Amino acid sequence: MIFYSIMPQEIVFANFDQMNNRELREISMGAVTMLVEPTGPFEGQIVRLISPNPQDYLNPQLSPGQKISFHPSVTE
Amino acid sequence: MSINQYLQQLSKAPINNNGQEPEQPAPQTAPAPPVVPAETPSVAGDEAKKRIVDTITQLGQTNVPQLESNIYCLSIIGQVEGHIQLPPQNKTTKYEHLIPQLVAAEQNSKIEGVLVILNTVGGDVEAGLAIAEMVASISKPVVTLVLGGGHSIGVPIAVAGSYSFIAETATMTIHPIRLTGLVIGVPQTFEYLDKMQDRVVNFIARHSKITEEQFKDLMLRTGELTRDIGTNVIGADAVKYGLIDEVGGLGKALNKLNELIEQRRGEKVLQ
């Protein structure tokens, strides 16, 4: 990575080694797969969306940062 | 300031600062009256307030892009984040979020134009160029607006659209690409950096009226920046150098975008 910014590197990368590795879970809802940071037993915050349908990325309910609740279900 | 205080201020102060009607009322704020009467604490108002608080805590802002509009507004703020996740003190725009959104904007027939608003301090070269190339290759009209700052890797993004605007007070810092704080010891490394820099310079020269020579001259100028070589171009200067098309704000940018959309509609009818 080449860093090209007016911000000094020392400021941008301060605390870089202390960044805690978040535990992310991959969750599928219909055709949409997302990386979710769990905030509770069955709820979490969307970190990244993985979908082959570009329109999903325009859905505000699926935008990163949204809280979602999910329950496991059995599909045949 | 607590979130409650912030909300109170929000309900008192008008949302925009131009005294005009806001172009796109935020979907969250619309259902709630600005001041909820104390004697009738409506459930709907509380619900809306809760949603605003949620949006502020999640996105750091009160409104999110609206789907009903025929333009798609993309804001690029803070650091452009690429392959390395930056520590949490940075405000970042993550390119993996933006790129599918640009694909969707291109593909969605309801979206007729894209407005890119920039206030960035730079960031990852690869990510910045990726966004710039995506913006440049959209077939729909794209208007870019630099507010505050469009520095470093923000420059290619700012010139990538069909037409570009810069606010009168906004600045763009043009400086060489280098590894800050590291001593360049081997010639290969320098050549590598030089090649990366050429990618940026070529892109800017291709997408704006500035020549490669003049841009490099601005990039390598001494005596303008205190701790670095390079130039800080402000508003009208950016237009003078041919980097940006026009000085203007939101109203001008939206007018131009609508004009370009009309023009494109006309072309479609002719075909």
Side-chain angles (χ1 to χ4, degrees):
Chain A
M1 168 182 152
I2 297 179
F3 182 66
Y4 183 38
S5 172
I6 51 161
M7 293 279 278
Q9 208 152 359
E10 312 89 80
I11 292 175
V12 173
F13 287 98
N15 310 320
F16 188 67
D17 43 345
Q18 285 156 35
M19 272 172 75
N20 55 333
N21 287 324
R22 294 187 291 179
E23 219 171 90
L24 300 180
R25 281 188 63 185
E26 205 178 286
I27 284 160
S28 294
M29 277 172 92
V32 184
T33 304
M34 52 189 118
L35 286 180
V36 172
E37 185 180 13
T39 53
F42 289 109
E43 53 177 31
Q45 202 166 26
I46 302 175
V47 174
R48 188 186 302 170
L49 200 61
I50 303 160
S51 166
N53 179 5
Q55 300 311 320
D56 287 338
Y57 291 90
L58 295 186
N59 184 348
Q61 254 128 49
L62 295 177
S63 65
Q66 285 291 343
K67 289 191 181 99
I68 57 155
S69 59
F70 45 89
H71 295 282
S73 65
V74 181
T75 49
E76 286 172 34
Chain B
M1 182 165 55
S2 76
I3 283 180
N4 279 333
Q5 283 173 312
Y6 180 64
L7 275 177
Q8 273 179 356
Q9 279 200 352
L10 261 187
S11 60
K12 278 178 206 154
I15 295 168
N16 61 336
N17 48 12
N18 288 345
Q20 298 167 333
E21 283 293 307
E23 296 282 346
Q24 297 174 7
Q28 283 78 13
T29 53
V35 180
V36 180
E39 61 271 20
T40 54
S42 65
V43 183
D46 287 351
E47 183 76 3
K49 260 192 180 174
K50 193 185 163 289
R51 259 182 291 152
I52 295 174
V53 174
D54 277 351
T55 321
I56 293 172
T57 51
Q58 285 162 18
L59 301 171
Q61 57 188 30
T62 50
N63 61 334
V64 287
Q66 206 180 1
L67 285 180
E68 290 76 24
S69 169
N70 69 333
I71 64 154
Y72 187 67
C73 177
L74 191 74
S75 54
I76 295 171
I77 50 148
Q79 294 279 349
V80 177
E81 190 180 287
H83 306 296
I84 295 176
Q85 196 176 357
L86 297 177
Q89 76 266 22
N90 296 288
K91 204 162 198 181
T92 63
T93 300
K94 298 172 200 294
Y95 86 126
E96 77 266 28
H97 295 170
L98 290 195
I99 282 176
Q101 286 184 20
L102 285 166
V103 173
E106 169 73 15
Q107 196 231 5
N108 193 326
S109 55
K110 283 184 196 147
I111 294 172
E112 295 181 280
V114 180
L115 178 69
V116 181
I117 295 180
L118 286 135
N119 196 349
T120 173
V121 289
D124 189 327
V125 168
E126 310 283 320
L129 280 181
I131 296 170
E133 287 283 5
M134 289 290 282
V135 169
S137 55
I138 287 180
S139 66
K140 295 172 180 178
V142 186
V143 169
T144 56
L145 171 60
V146 181
L147 291 171
H151 309 284
S152 314
I153 202 67
V155 180
I157 304 174
V159 301
S162 334
Y163 203 84
S164 52
F165 283 93
I166 184 165
E168 217 171 301
T169 54
T171 72
M172 297 171 93
T173 310
I174 299 159
H175 63 108
I177 295 180
R178 71 267 179 263
L179 293 172
T180 330
L182 289 178
V183 178
I184 301 165
V186 275
Q188 282 85 346
T189 320
F190 178 73
E191 267 171 34
Y192 178 68
L193 280 180
D194 207 35
K195 264 189 186 167
M196 294 301 114
Q197 189 166 293
D198 278 346
R199 286 164 71 193
V200 175
V201 174
N202 285 342
F203 184 91
I204 292 164
R206 258 186 291 131
H207 289 91
S208 67
K209 292 185 207 106
I210 199 168
T211 59
E212 220 169 285
E213 291 72 35
Q214 186 164 31
F215 189 77
K216 277 207 162 164
D217 174 55
L218 290 176
M219 199 180 227
L220 302 172
R221 197 174 281 180
T222 51
E224 297 245 346
L225 301 180
T226 43
R227 287 180 56 197
D228 202 352
I229 54 174
T231 320
N232 197 355
V233 289
I234 302 172
D237 283 342
V239 178
K240 192 182 81 194
Y241 290 124
L243 203 56
I244 297 286
D245 293 314
E246 203 179 323
V247 174
L250 181 60
K252 269 191 173 178
L254 273 178
N255 273 347
K256 184 71 192 178
L257 186 57
N258 285 327
E259 193 184 297
L260 290 172
I261 289 171
E262 283 301 321
Q263 207 177 316
R264 188 162 177 268
R265 274 189 201 147
E267 280 166 14
K268 268 192 172 171
V269 169
L270 278 179
Q271 283 166 3

